Amino acid sequence: MRPQPPEGVRELDLEKPNAARMYDYFLGGSHNFAPDRALAAQVEQVTPWVRHIAGINRAWLRRVVDFLVAQGIRQFLDLGSGIPTVGNVHEIAQGREPDTRVVYVDYEAVAVHHSHELLRDNDKATVVWADVRQPTSVLEHEETRRLLDFTQPIGLLCAGLLLFISDEYDPAGLLATYRDACPAGSYLAISTMSQDEADPATAEQLADLLKLYEMADERIYPRDKATIESWFAGTELVDPGLVLLHQWRTERSAEGDPLWTQHEASPARLIGYGAVGRILG
Ligand SMILES: C[S@@+](CC[C@H](N)C(=O)[O-])C[C@H]1O[C@@H](n2cnc3c(N)ncnc32)[C@H](O)[C@@H]1O
């Protein structure tokens, strides 16, 4: 059955630039439209390295999924999963362990429909059309319940999501609700944007990027490191803790990390933090 739009989730508006579709554009995808590309082009003018942000984040996500599968995780809840692109969570996880189950969640119509098409023949992965700010609509969704067993450890992924969720929606409270739905031994993975380690030139470029995103249908909210760390309450951070994305287990990936090494000299490496926490009992 095709996914149904949940109540209250906004209609598809192809005239307004959308952050999910701009991210797809930065990753070289084709699920974006003229207004998305027009604003993305302006963003590239002020931050010529913006594509690297997407690449570094995807590379981090891939390493996280590899790590979690190696820890025995066989089910994932991917919040704000985005428009599918090369190296999706189910491809990585099921490539290692074919029985791994994956529930993708997004509220952007193009992301949901494209995910649905892609997963048509995959009975162990699905997409839920929901707003993650309403956790019950995600956790109680029949597709979530069909694929995920909440008595067994879950990999809770929040990659590149929380930068779009303002404090008004209480990210810490939302995360606590998702965390508490998962049993001890589950993992919480977060990547998000921060200006803490940006040099002055990069910070200035980033300020211009943030201004441009005010024209998109989602704004971006960078956070300081202490705030991001506080989101891991109730978990024990795995080594190396909360670090810039390129510092997270890059050296441990068997084949090196081509996506990351391409961007070794990019300012983009200074503005993303990531960590993985093991959920405590
Ligand atoms: C930058 S993309 C990240 C995609 C993917 N997780 C990754 O790391 O490559 C952020 C995604 O979060 C989604 N998103 C933002 N706010 C959301 C919300 N409140 N509920 C569901 N999805 C949301 C956007 O639609 C977009 O697809």
Side-chain angles (χ1 to χ4, degrees):
M1 199 177 69
R2 281 179 77 78
Q4 298 302 310
E7 235 177 85
V9 166
R10 64 172 175 240
E11 302 276 312
L12 181 60
D13 179 358
L14 295 180
E15 297 304 317
K16 188 151 174 100
N18 168 268
R21 300 193 300 264
M22 288 165 66
Y23 183 76
D24 175 67
Y25 172 81
F26 293 135
L27 282 170
S30 55
H31 296 276
N32 48 74
F33 301 89
D36 308 318
R37 292 192 286 272
L39 185 58
Q42 287 188 60
V43 172
E44 282 193 298
Q45 291 279 320
V46 299
T47 44
W49 38 267
V50 63
R51 284 172 189 259
H52 305 168
I53 301 177
I56 290 169
N57 184 57
R58 290 298 295 190
W60 174 83
L61 178 59
R62 193 189 63 197
R63 297 196 301 281
V64 166
V65 173
D66 269 343
F67 169 77
L68 293 181
V69 172
Q71 302 310 301
I73 294 294
R74 296 292 179 267
Q75 38 179 8
F76 287 90
L77 182 58
D78 185 356
L79 302 176
S81 47
I83 296 171
T85 182
V86 177
N88 295 300
V89 170
H90 76 282
E91 290 165 348
I92 302 161
Q94 293 178 348
R96 303 252 186 260
E97 287 292 336
D99 282 338
T100 305
R101 283 153 288 142
V102 179
V103 174
Y104 292 111
V105 182
D106 210 289
Y107 71 170
E108 199 282 319
V110 173
V112 173
H113 286 302
H114 187 49
S115 302
H116 179 71
E117 285 307 310
L118 187 81
L119 300 173
R120 192 176 281 281
D121 298 322
N122 192 325
D123 61 359
K124 297 197 177 67
T126 191
V127 60
V128 164
W129 196 342
D131 187 327
V132 300
R133 293 169 298 183
Q134 293 157 8
T136 312
S137 70
V138 174
L139 294 168
E140 298 301 330
H141 196 284
E142 57 183 5
E143 282 295 278
T144 309
R145 291 283 153 185
R146 180 175 71 83
L147 277 192
L148 302 185
D149 173 357
F150 283 86
T151 68
Q152 297 300 315
I154 289 179
L156 194 52
L157 305 175
C158 299
L161 166 73
L162 292 154
L163 64 160
F164 295 112
I165 298 197
S166 67
D167 289 346
E168 182 191 346
Y169 291 100
D170 183 19
L174 287 174
L175 286 165
T177 304
Y178 285 105
R179 184 199 64 216
D180 292 347
C182 299
S186 297
Y187 288 86
L188 169 65
I190 297 174
S191 66
T192 198
M193 191 180 274
S194 177
Q195 306 182 94
D196 282 17
E197 293 193 43
D199 56 71
T202 303
E204 210 169 294
Q205 286 178 304
L206 194 59
D208 290 339
L209 175 148
L210 298 183
K211 195 103 203 97
L212 283 171
Y213 265 82
E214 290 175 14
M215 285 189 257
D217 56 4
E218 265 143 0
R219 300 182 60 165
I220 292 181
Y221 306 93
R223 300 313 204 300
D224 59 36
K225 198 173 180 185
T227 301
I228 302 167
E229 206 141 34
S230 74
W231 291 345
F232 286 93
T235 78
E236 182 180 45
L237 290 185
V238 306
D239 185 49
L242 178 64
V243 291
L244 291 172
L245 294 176
H246 71 271
Q247 294 167 344
W248 199 88
R249 294 182 171 257
T250 319
E251 75 285 1
R252 294 175 179 82
S253 54
E255 70 277 29
D257 206 324
L259 268 177
W260 147 244
T261 45
Q262 271 172 29
H263 308 315
E264 208 160 357
S266 172
R269 74 197 189 287
L270 303 175
I271 60 163
Y273 279 124
V276 174
R278 187 168 190 276
I279 295 177
L280 304 168

